[in-house]
Amino acid sequence: MSNKEGWQFPDNNCTKNFGLEDSDTEIFEGDADGGLAREICQNSIDANNKKGKQTRVEFSRFTINTSEIPGCKDLKKEIQECFNYKGNDPKEGRKLKYLKDTINQKTINCLRISDFNTTGLIGIKDDENDSPFYLLTKGSGTSGKTEGNGGSKGIGKYACFVASDLNTVFYSTKAYNDQKQREEVGYIGISKLRSRSMHNPNRPNLMTMGTGYYAVNSDNAPFHTELHLDPNFRRNKGEYGTDVYLIGYSSKNWVANITYKILEGFMASIIFSDFEVKVDNLLINKDTLSTIINSDLFKHKKANEKRYLKAQYSLFADEGVEKKEFTVGGNSKITVYVKTYTQQNEAEASKRCEFIRYPYMRIKKLGIHAMLPYSAMCIIENNDLCEKLRSIEDPAHTEWQFDRLTRFDSNKKIITNLYNEMIEDVRSFIQECLQQDTGEQVDFEGAGEYLPSEDNIDSGNELGQIDSISTTPVRRVKINTPKTSKSSENGEGPQFSTGDPEGNEEGIEFPKHDEDNSPVPNPDPKPPVDDEKHGGKKGDIPAIIKIPLGGMRYKAIYNYKTNCIDVIFTSKYNENNCELSIREVGLKDDRYKINIESASLNGVPCEIEDGIIKNLKIKENIKYKISCVVDTNERFASEVILNAIR
């Protein structure tokens, strides 16, 4: 065993060649800040020391001289070796050059993430192979977490490496081991680079493993002191927890991005458990939620993203929210919150249900479609249902994936039936609340087919009976809510269905114009205008009029592969100037505009103005497919309007 201190990149014993990217890190590539915020908060909540104080987390960015990175010289040399080996690779070369350029800068931005009132990384003193410290720093695909915790896959730790500009992270901890009645202090560094040649003439295939450790010796043992990398931070005596240092952190809008993900994923934990987070100088707790949500911090976010956040908050804070408790599967408690909206404030509705499981972490959303606007939330307590659903979550904890249950899994039918029963409870309660407002039956369009199309699962036996139901008024959370103007985002509807863009039998078609045999509205010359809708007085002939093109059947299908709505029709007309718009179909004669953000016809971009496709040319007997990107990703019943401009 070598006693050398510093960076050590073990060899692979002529086995696997590891690249920069793998399945563990790929999960978080699309949203590095979001994955970082979600995984850190989940891990810190799980590690609460159960001594009466609630978990607190801090995100703080700071700048140091690059030479201050522990073992900077050796790390720089290793990155250069990796670049020499694969710098010309079309896939990895660009990233390797970025790593090399970053570590050669004079200064570097870093991110410190610290949690408080947690256990810290117990086991760092002896580097025990089943301890929390060992599993975090050297385990793969295992977390050691028990029932009731948020994480279980052992993959969330890789979010830190994805967010680091140098793929390099240091863990420093001050822990108290209750079992051994002692304080444990230490730190270790980890860099996830790539394999490169060891330049061994006797073993030309000998390469590094790609992952290196900044450690005490060749056994990669941790140092037994705290790491003080942030010049403005020191832990107080008895202040236990863990500090995670991301080396190289240049994310733009990082405060807003991390704050948004914290609110989206842990709003229930902030309210129910007093979970508190500080992002830079922004304090997030149940007393500041309203101010933050209604501020301009998220001005760069899309209108529907801001609406979803406000809608979730309103389920905790607003009066008039209905609350009902259900018992699923005989012993698992869930609580469903529903808020209904009037015509005046319907633009504020999320038109979906947020599913939150203990320890009050939002997992997924479902657009359980109804013709009336609503927002809903289902909270699953620490019970058998929670544990079974946790077992089928994806590694990022954003979906329940039933394909993780093989046909040999005895739990498949049990979990499927429990899930179906929960969804039916939620759906029926939303319907009940909407009926109370309207006094008539509410049509949940497509609800019968919703579960299979959403998760591709079999329902198994009939849904289990509800053992007990109690209805109580919603618990009012005492939070100061500033008066704000009502939201007026246009064109935000419920969730899309998925379907086949070619309109075959497997596709799910949206409501569309019925084909009719009425005369083609193609008069020439232009007819007199009988009212003032077209900009003139009665009897006038305006220079430009809009004429609806009837007699055609339109299909509007959500294309899952392209994330577009494909509008498909066969033209019965020759027109040089048309406008195409999409509207959401509501109850009776209600129609709501859906803004088209971009569109293409046979790969050619269309002209968009005010959410409508303009200057569209069509020819008789030609089939058209127009792919539209709209300002919502939710399911809705649609209507296509095509007007000729003459």
Side-chain angles (χ1 to χ4, degrees), residues 181-461:
Q181 293 292 297
R182 70 185 185 191
E183 185 175 88
E184 300 182 351
V185 175
Y187 77 91
I188 196 170
I190 307 174
S191 186
K192 288 184 65 65
L193 301 178
R194 72 148 2 267
S195 295
R196 53 88 178 173
S197 174
M198 296 287 286
H199 307 296
N200 188 327
N202 298 320
R203 304 179 72 187
N205 292 328
L206 189 66
M207 307 184 75
T208 64
M209 291 283 289
T211 297
Y213 289 85
Y214 185 78
V216 171
N217 50 44
S218 59
D219 284 346
N220 297 313
F223 293 88
H224 291 145
T225 59
E226 285 185 78
L227 176 62
H228 297 141
L229 198 57
D230 183 349
N232 299 313
F233 175 75
R234 294 288 188 279
R235 283 188 178 269
N236 297 322
K237 183 178 180 180
E239 195 172 50
Y240 299 116
T242 300
D243 307 315
V244 183
Y245 292 97
L246 276 61
I247 308 303
Y249 183 72
S250 56
S251 175
K252 297 179 180 179
N253 294 321
W254 71 278
V255 173
N257 291 338
I258 288 177
T259 300
Y260 184 89
K261 281 297 179 181
I262 290 169
L263 296 182
E264 179 189 58
F266 299 94
M267 192 182 299
S269 185
I270 291 170
I271 290 175
F272 292 152
S273 303
D274 292 330
F275 176 49
E276 184 174 279
V277 186
K278 188 176 182 182
V279 183
D280 198 20
N281 294 317
L282 181 67
L283 181 63
I284 308 169
N285 58 33
K286 64 182 179 181
D287 296 321
T288 63
L289 274 177
S290 177
T291 301
I292 294 170
I293 290 171
N294 290 287
S295 70
D296 63 354
L297 179 65
F298 307 122
K299 60 185 178 183
H300 67 292
K301 293 288 184 181
K302 292 182 179 180
N304 61 340
E305 291 179 305
K306 292 184 284 189
R307 173 166 56 89
Y308 295 151
L309 209 59
K310 291 180 179 180
Q312 186 182 160
Y313 176 75
S314 71
L315 289 164
F316 293 108
D318 281 9
E319 295 178 353
V321 175
E322 295 292 333
K323 172 184 172 184
K324 180 178 281 190
E325 295 179 358
F326 296 85
T327 300
V328 178
N331 61 0
S332 295
K333 177 184 171 184
I334 66 171
T335 306
V336 184
Y337 297 75
V338 177
K339 179 181 178 181
T340 59
Y341 294 78
T342 65
Q343 188 174 2
Q344 287 71 34
N345 66 355
E346 65 181 339
E348 301 171 10
S350 69
K351 300 180 183 177
R352 70 187 196 185
C353 181
E354 312 284 350
F355 285 81
I356 297 167
R357 68 149 174 83
Y358 187 86
Y360 306 122
M361 174 183 179
R362 174 189 175 274
I363 301 300
K364 68 177 295 180
K365 63 183 185 296
L366 285 179
I368 300 176
H369 187 55
M371 287 299 187
L372 292 176
Y374 72 93
S375 299
M377 173 174 61
C378 175
I379 294 182
I380 307 165
E381 298 296 343
N382 187 14
N383 51 40
D384 182 60
L385 173 64
C386 178
E387 187 61 21
K388 282 184 167 57
L389 290 176
R390 188 168 74 96
S391 70
I392 60 169
E393 282 172 16
D394 65 331
H397 304 286
T398 56
E399 185 60 86
W400 291 310
Q401 296 178 332
F402 288 83
D403 55 5
R404 290 178 175 271
L405 297 168
T406 68
R407 61 192 178 96
F408 303 106
D409 194 326
S410 60
N411 282 324
K412 183 172 184 178
K413 182 175 287 188
I414 295 172
I415 296 177
T416 299
N417 287 345
L418 286 173
Y419 178 83
N420 285 348
E421 182 180 344
M422 176 181 68
I423 297 300
E424 176 58 24
D425 289 342
V426 172
R427 187 203 66 79
S428 62
F429 185 49
I430 294 172
Q431 184 176 14
E432 176 186 323
C433 293
L434 293 175
Q435 274 186 256
Q436 290 176 357
D437 279 1
T438 63
E440 59 186 50
Q441 183 71 24
V442 179
D443 178 23
F444 276 75
E445 182 180 345
E449 294 82 25
Y450 181 75
L451 280 173
S453 65
E454 175 66 22
D455 291 303
N456 295 318
I457 60 176
D458 298 323
S459 59
N461 296 333

Side-chain angles (χ1 to χ4, degrees), residues 460-518:
N461 296 333
E462 294 183 1
L463 298 177
Q465 297 297 315
I466 300 170
D467 294 329
S468 63
I469 302 176
S470 60
T471 305
T472 59
V474 68
R475 179 172 65 89
R476 174 75 172 176
V477 181
K478 294 183 179 179
I479 303 175
N480 296 324
T481 306
K483 293 183 178 180
T484 58
S485 58
K486 294 184 180 294
S487 171
S488 59
E489 293 100 16
N490 292 325
E492 296 159 358
Q495 187 172 352
F496 295 131
S497 295
T498 58
D500 178 7
E502 297 304 321
N504 60 30
E505 293 300 321
E506 295 178 357
I508 302 173
E509 297 182 13
F510 288 72
K512 46 195 172 283
H513 291 306
D514 291 330
E515 190 166 359
D516 59 57
N517 297 316
S518 58

Side-chain angles (χ1 to χ4, degrees), residues 57-70:
V57 176
E58 288 184 0
F59 293 78
S60 180
R61 188 156 73 175
F62 61 96
T63 303
I64 59 174
N65 292 325
T66 307
S67 59
E68 296 179 62
I69 299 172

Side-chain angles (χ1 to χ4, degrees), residues 76 79-80 83-84 95-105 166:
K76 185 183 296 187
I79 291 174
Q80 182 66 50
F83 179 80
N84 293 342
K95 173 65 174 177
L96 288 169
K97 184 178 185 304
Y98 180 77
L99 292 173
K100 181 170 71 75
D101 292 345
T102 299
I103 201 167
N104 280 298
Q105 294 174 352
L166 288 179

